[in-house]
Amino acid sequence: MANRAAVGAPGDQLQSSATLLSTKLFVPRSRQRLVSRPRLDALLDRNAALTLVSAPAGFGKSTVVVDWLRRRDVRVSWLSLERSDDEPRRFLQYLLAVWRRLVPHVGVSLEAALDEPGPFLGSTEQTAFVNEIGGLAEAIADQADDLVLVLDDYHAVEDSTIHRFVAAMVDALPPGIRLVITTRVDPPFPLARMRAFGRLEEVRAADLRFSADEASSFLSEAMGVELAEGQAEVLQERTEGWIVGLQLAAISLRGRLDVTGSREDSTHDFLRDFSGSHRFVLDYLTDEVLGRQDEATLDLLLRISMLDEICGQLADAVTGGQDGQDRLESLEAENLFLIPLDQDRRWYRFHHLFAECLRRYAEERLAERERHEIHRRAFEWLYEHDRPDAALDHALAADDAERARRLLRTYADATLHLGDVDAVSRWLVRVPPSWIAHDPPLALTRALVRFLLLDWSGLTDMEAELGRELEGPPHVGEEAGSVAGRKAMLGLLALWAVGDMERAAEAGRAAVQLLPEPEVLLRGTAVALLSAALVRRKDWPETERMLQLGRDLNRASQNRLALSTCYYNWSRLRIHQGRPEDALRIAREGLDEITRRTGGQLTTIGCLVALAEAEALLEL
């Protein structure tokens, strides 16, 4: 019986600071003519908390899982991972989205922590979420079928925090919920312990290799290539049951038969010449397949191979054509390794290994200037369609500093206003420092991000470096205020970090005065730090004014970290004034507001206000 996708429209997204791409939550379409492989079904049917499908590229890991799900009555939620997801906040946002397709409303506390501005410090919420998963047995008791969560291409993840979290989640999974992971590399989980306690089932390369019978069925039924007795077995031996090798071989054979018209001689010659390790087989067959395409198709393949995800409009943008969607559908029909990413078949990607081969071939066929022009065209389309991560990939590939800076100017501050410091940091780390060094606003943004991520080392040196970078023609208008205000704010950060409250207060006043009014997030952050400096200096009237301003600014920008800081400092002010009852009232007002803004949960950020409440109680 066919599986059912979990409840939820393909476009459902968490209301969080990062945009979630629905194509990553799409269960790939199962081919209608796949070969039945009952021995693999038996392995995947074994009931364990974690099923690990681990093998090198090209062994059909994802295909096997999709085909198994198609024949099973389960509810499934799927997440396709890629390199940009190797960051805890981003990974957990996607993981929470796929969990909610299985169990709606799970993880409210974790969602609130993920929406907090500043560095992601939600270890408490992660633990609470794992415990919540462990307690789902009763919530799913009335389910008639199993729930399956699939993490596809998990080898894209290297972050140790993510690995620890997923391993803990596996330990907590109750009966009736299974996690399936496909990967090229074993994750650093305690696999031996999981095996010993019956929490792990494994499907390895030896399991995924096609047998002679399966290879024969695959070639004839799925690929439409009829071989004489024993020839499929020869091909299976030469490819060692490697499905991509078999598929490439079948495409090459079909092209050879179309040209020669002599089935027996052509197949005999092909099998005689076909040999080598996986890598050499791939190189040989790629030449055979690509060499038999007409020039128009080959040119299209080479140009769109530089795109990680492809739609008709994006294909037209990089090729200058007008029939991109039709041509993508034709490539898919030709079994040229184009995989649909959504139900409407608008977005596609190439099989990763085939894409790598196409790109190597493109380096030989296309001049560097042509490749750079393709990347620039891709950048412009992705930039206009609000896909900054992918657009930045192409700016870097084109070695185009100006386009990278344009993207950062457009998206960095806007993303900081949403509180997603990690995303901006990820962009800035990837861009060569020399591209930013002589762009003062971006240099200031880079320094600010480092401070917000608690990287306080070298702040004084950074401030001096920024001073040198700002030498030259003066800025004018609003940009001048923004640059001067940010420089003053960085002075505030550097002085505040070393405890020089006198000079920090002066720098804070300058930052608040110079930053333009639209810079709500930065002004609110500056006021929060200024109020902390003023409390320490016991400058009560000015502190009171700054705290009121900070509350208003940080409410407007929804900067809960700075808002919590303001409430904490306000409570501390009342304690210094000898008014512990008022201090307690303010702390509890702040605690109520922060808790309300985080969905009724006390997150890591809210703990600062809880500390203010505790300090006030001690003074009573």
Side-chain angles (χ1 to χ4, degrees):
M1 184 178 297
N3 73 286
R4 301 192 306 278
V7 176
D12 285 351
Q13 296 179 350
L14 287 178
Q15 296 301 312
S16 62
S17 59
T19 299
L20 304 185
L21 300 177
S22 60
T23 55
K24 294 165 66 64
L25 310 179
F26 172 68
V27 181
R29 184 183 296 270
S30 175
R31 293 180 180 270
Q32 296 303 309
R33 295 183 296 171
L34 281 173
V35 176
S36 176
R37 307 184 73 186
R39 60 188 179 84
L40 287 178
D41 287 344
L43 289 175
L44 292 167
D45 280 340
R46 293 176 183 173
N47 198 8
L50 171 63
T51 298
L52 184 66
V53 185
S54 180
F59 273 87
K61 300 179 289 294
S62 303
T63 301
V64 165
V65 174
V66 170
D67 190 42
W68 168 70
L69 290 170
R70 180 174 62 88
R71 293 193 290 267
R72 294 297 181 267
D73 190 18
V74 297
R75 293 181 62 219
V76 60
S77 190
W78 187 286
L79 173 59
S80 297
L81 293 164
E82 53 193 13
R83 185 182 62 184
S84 61
D85 302 321
D86 187 26
E87 187 272 313
R89 184 195 296 268
R90 185 180 181 90
F91 176 88
L92 289 170
Q93 285 168 334
Y94 274 110
L95 185 67
L96 187 54
V98 293
W99 262 110
R100 286 185 170 177
R101 288 171 168 245
L102 296 174
V103 186
H105 312 304
V106 71
V108 173
S109 177
L110 179 61
E111 179 184 10
L114 291 170
D115 281 346
E116 296 290 356
F120 178 61
L121 302 173
S123 58
T124 300
E125 289 75 24
Q126 292 182 62
T127 301
F129 181 65
V130 168
N131 292 336
E132 189 176 357
I133 296 302
L136 287 176
E138 182 176 344
I140 66 170
D142 60 344
Q143 296 285 341
D145 43 26
D146 286 345
L147 308 183
V148 178
L149 189 153
V150 181
L151 300 181
D152 192 31
D153 286 344
Y154 190 79
H155 52 263
V157 173
E158 297 180 357
D159 188 278
S160 59
T161 301
I162 296 175
H163 289 317
R164 288 194 297 271
F165 178 85
V166 175
M169 186 177 73
V170 171
D171 286 340
L173 288 175
I177 303 181
R178 299 179 57 185
L179 175 65
V180 178
I181 286 179
T182 72
T183 180
R184 296 180 186 178
V185 180
D186 281 3
F189 298 167
L191 298 179
R193 178 174 60 80
M194 290 179 179
R195 289 189 197 101
F197 285 92
R199 305 287 290 174
L200 174 66
E201 289 294 343
E202 297 165 88
V203 179
R204 298 287 180 176
D207 304 309
L208 293 167
R209 288 191 176 101
F210 272 51
S211 67
D213 289 342
E214 289 170 340
S216 180
S217 297
F218 172 75
L219 291 168
S220 62
E221 297 173 13
M223 300 302 298
V225 174
E226 296 294 338
L227 299 176
E229 183 177 354
Q231 289 181 331
E233 184 175 355
V234 172
L235 195 53
Q236 186 270 341
E237 290 176 354
R238 298 289 174 86
T239 61
E240 299 182 54
W242 186 35
I243 187 171
V244 167
L246 287 167
Q247 190 172 7
L248 284 168
I251 293 173
S252 182
L253 273 170
R254 285 193 313 207
R256 182 182 294 267
L257 294 175
D258 290 342
V259 171
T260 66
S262 175
R263 177 178 300 277
E264 184 175 348
D265 291 344
S266 181
T267 304
H268 180 271
D269 292 344
F270 177 84
L271 293 175
R272 181 195 62 203
D273 297 333
F274 185 82
S275 64
S277 68
H278 288 174
R279 186 183 66 209
F280 295 120
V281 167
L282 179 61
D283 289 343
Y284 172 80
L285 288 177
T286 300
D287 288 342
E288 283 286 298
V289 173
L290 296 180
R292 296 184 185 279
Q293 303 300 320
D294 61 69
E295 282 299 318
T297 300
L298 179 59
D299 187 68
L300 173 68
L301 287 171
L302 297 184
R303 292 177 185 279
I304 65 175
S305 72
M306 300 182 194
L307 308 171
D308 290 331
E309 293 186 352
I310 315 158
C311 69
Q313 292 181 359
L314 180 53
D316 287 339
V318 300
T319 63
Q322 297 180 344
D323 57 351
Q325 183 62 35
D326 291 339
R327 300 187 74 183
L328 290 176
E329 291 174 3
S330 295
L331 291 178
E332 183 193 2
E334 290 292 323
N335 284 324
L336 285 173
F337 308 103
L338 202 61
I339 302 168
L341 295 175
D342 54 39
Q343 296 286 357
D344 296 328
R345 305 178 101 72
R346 295 296 179 186
W347 282 93
Y348 296 85
R349 68 167 176 84
F350 280 114
H351 181 284
H352 296 311
L353 199 55
F354 188 60
E356 292 169 7
C357 296
L358 284 171
R359 289 165 187 166
R360 287 205 301 268
Y361 200 53
E363 290 179 0
E364 300 174 4
R365 291 287 300 260
L366 302 177
E368 183 179 63
R369 59 179 177 76
E370 289 183 275
R371 300 198 303 273
H372 283 187
E373 178 61 23
I374 291 169
H375 287 300
R376 284 191 286 268
R377 291 183 178 188
F379 170 90
E380 294 297 341
W381 192 92
L382 293 162
Y383 176 83
E384 292 296 329
H385 288 80
D386 295 322
R387 295 174 71 104
D389 284 292
L392 183 59
D393 287 340
H394 290 284
L396 293 169
D399 197 27
D400 194 320
E402 182 50 46
R403 280 181 167 83
R405 285 193 290 265
R406 174 159 42 109
L407 181 142
L408 291 172
R409 293 189 201 104
T410 300
Y411 285 101
D413 283 357
T415 304
L416 284 177
H417 274 266
L418 293 173
D420 195 352
V421 183
D422 295 304
V424 181
S425 175
R426 187 171 64 247
W427 298 334
L428 291 171
V429 166
R430 297 182 59 204
V431 172
S434 60
W435 290 10
I436 296 176
H438 302 293
D439 189 309
L442 289 182
L444 292 162
T445 297
R446 179 184 59 188
L448 178 61
V449 166
R450 287 180 58 183
F451 178 84
L452 292 175
L453 290 176
L454 306 184
D455 182 7
W456 290 10
S457 59
L459 275 177
T460 302
D461 292 340
M462 289 166 61
E463 185 187 12
E465 177 187 343
L466 289 168
R468 291 191 297 272
E469 290 169 352
L470 287 169
E471 293 176 356
H475 295 267
V476 297
E478 186 172 294
E479 185 181 13
S482 179
V483 170
R486 290 188 183 205
K487 187 173 186 299
M489 183 171 180
L490 284 168
L492 164 64
L493 302 179
L495 295 166
W496 194 86
V498 298
D500 189 343
M501 294 299 110
E502 283 291 333
R503 295 173 62 202
E506 294 305 317
R509 293 188 188 100
V512 174
Q513 181 179 1
L514 292 170
L515 282 167
E517 289 190 7
E519 299 269 18
V520 180
L521 177 70
L522 300 181
R523 294 186 75 223
T525 302
V527 169
L529 292 172
L530 172 58
S531 66
L534 293 174
V535 166
R536 296 188 185 188
R537 293 179 58 206
K538 299 184 179 181
D539 193 340
W540 305 150
E542 185 179 6
T543 304
E544 193 86 36
R545 291 194 303 273
M546 287 299 104
L547 287 169
Q548 290 175 350
L549 175 61
R551 180 188 59 190
D552 295 341
L553 288 172
N554 292 308
R555 280 176 175 172
S557 68
Q558 299 186 39
N559 185 345
R560 285 168 287 206
L561 175 61
L563 184 59
S564 296
T565 302
C566 287
Y567 273 114
Y568 175 78
N569 289 326
W570 216 327
S571 180
R572 293 292 302 164
L573 171 63
R574 293 293 184 259
I575 289 174
H576 284 303
Q577 292 174 331
R579 299 160 58 184
E581 294 87 356
D582 289 342
L584 181 60
R585 176 181 55 78
I586 290 171
R588 287 178 172 170
E589 286 177 2
L591 196 58
D592 288 343
E593 180 171 358
I594 297 299
T595 303
R596 185 173 65 255
R597 288 175 176 270
T598 54
Q601 302 291 324
L602 180 61
T603 65
T604 305
I605 300 301
C607 290
L608 184 63
V609 191
L611 177 62
E613 180 187 32
E615 291 177 350
L617 287 169
L618 288 173
E619 296 294 327
L620 290 175

